[in-house]
Amino acid sequence: MTTDAPQHTVDHLFHLLISQGDADYIGEKVSQLQHCLQAAHLAQSAGSDEETILAALLHDIGQFLPEDAAEAMMTEQGSVGRQGHEQLGATYLAELGFSRKVCDLVGAHVVAKRYLTAIDKSYYDGLSDASRMSLRFQGGPFTSPEVEDFERDPIFPAKVALRKWDDQAKVVGLVVPEVDAYRPMALRHLLLQSS
Ligand SMILES: [Fe+2]
């Protein structure tokens, strides 16, 4: 994937969001696309920078990739076995030319849950059944050394915030800006990265 055609990349990416986005969000009552739009809106409402808003919009993009594309990407990287959707998404966005911060935030939205469940019992108690179930497969809550390590990352507060928006972005019937509202931001970001 080349990074010298940001407009083409944005068209391709937004087409993917729109065409795949109507799929059910497993175990939840909103569509995948609605979930992503609500997460992006929460990030924007919190006054986040554009990288964080884009990461919120695209945090589940790894779930949107057609299976053959995901497999091809894993083969290219020489990775064995299945990667989590968050890592797949981060790799995919890096290939498209998104910044390290966007990719790191997308890649961390599962480990941030492991972090939060380790430091905050009320966070664990507030998880949906589906999310609690998936935590088990994601490795469970962090150990103390893992918590310390996570907190050494300068962008860990944004990782935690994104995780919380991810959890909240499941409100049935909520009206938020449509996907096209984020096109100029995505284009601006990619142009900046390629300049
Ligand atoms: Fe999500």
Side-chain angles (χ1 to χ4, degrees):
M1 191 78 60
T2 58
T3 57
D4 59 348
Q7 182 65 62
H8 175 79
T9 301
V10 169
D11 289 346
H12 168 80
L13 185 61
F14 279 62
H15 175 74
L16 185 65
L17 275 173
I18 294 163
S19 60
Q20 302 292 316
D22 275 341
D24 281 349
Y25 182 23
I26 300 162
E28 308 290 352
K29 292 194 178 80
V30 295
S31 73
Q32 284 275 13
L33 181 58
Q34 272 305 313
H35 169 65
C36 295
L37 292 173
Q38 289 186 22
H41 184 60
L42 285 164
Q44 190 152 38
S45 303
S48 307
D49 59 37
E50 293 198 345
E51 288 174 301
T52 305
I53 296 167
L54 288 170
L57 177 71
L58 301 168
H59 76 276
D60 276 338
I61 197 72
Q63 311 262 37
F64 289 58
L65 296 175
E67 230 159 73
D68 52 343
E71 266 169 34
M73 213 160 59
M74 283 190 264
T75 312
E76 246 172 59
Q77 291 169 28
S79 57
V80 186
R82 281 193 57 182
Q83 267 185 314
H85 78 275
E86 72 287 356
Q87 280 311 322
L88 210 52
T91 305
Y92 176 69
L93 293 173
E95 282 190 10
L96 293 186
F98 281 84
S99 71
R100 169 94 189 264
K101 180 173 175 179
V102 171
C103 300
D104 280 357
L105 288 173
V106 168
H109 79 275
V110 169
V111 289
K113 176 168 130 187
R114 297 184 60 202
Y115 167 77
L116 278 164
T117 52
I119 61 148
D120 185 354
K121 182 170 181 322
S122 65
Y123 175 82
Y124 177 86
D125 292 341
L127 289 180
S128 68
D129 288 345
S131 197
R132 251 185 245 181
M133 181 74 83
S134 60
L135 176 66
R136 272 197 255 162
F137 298 105
Q138 290 155 350
F142 268 169
T143 61
S144 297
E146 286 171 329
V147 165
E148 284 167 29
D149 199 42
F150 188 77
E151 289 177 347
R152 271 193 279 273
D153 183 342
I155 64 162
F156 98 86
K159 290 181 174 178
V160 171
L162 175 51
R163 179 70 233 181
K164 290 184 175 174
W165 299 322
D166 187 8
D167 295 323
Q168 291 164 31
K170 298 168 184 179
V171 181
V172 177
L174 187 69
V175 178
V176 292
E178 290 296 332
V179 71
D180 283 345
Y182 301 96
R183 275 182 196 267
M185 192 184 290
L187 186 58
R188 201 157 47 235
H189 176 81
L190 289 173
L191 284 169
L192 202 65
Q193 303 309 306
S194 62
S195 64

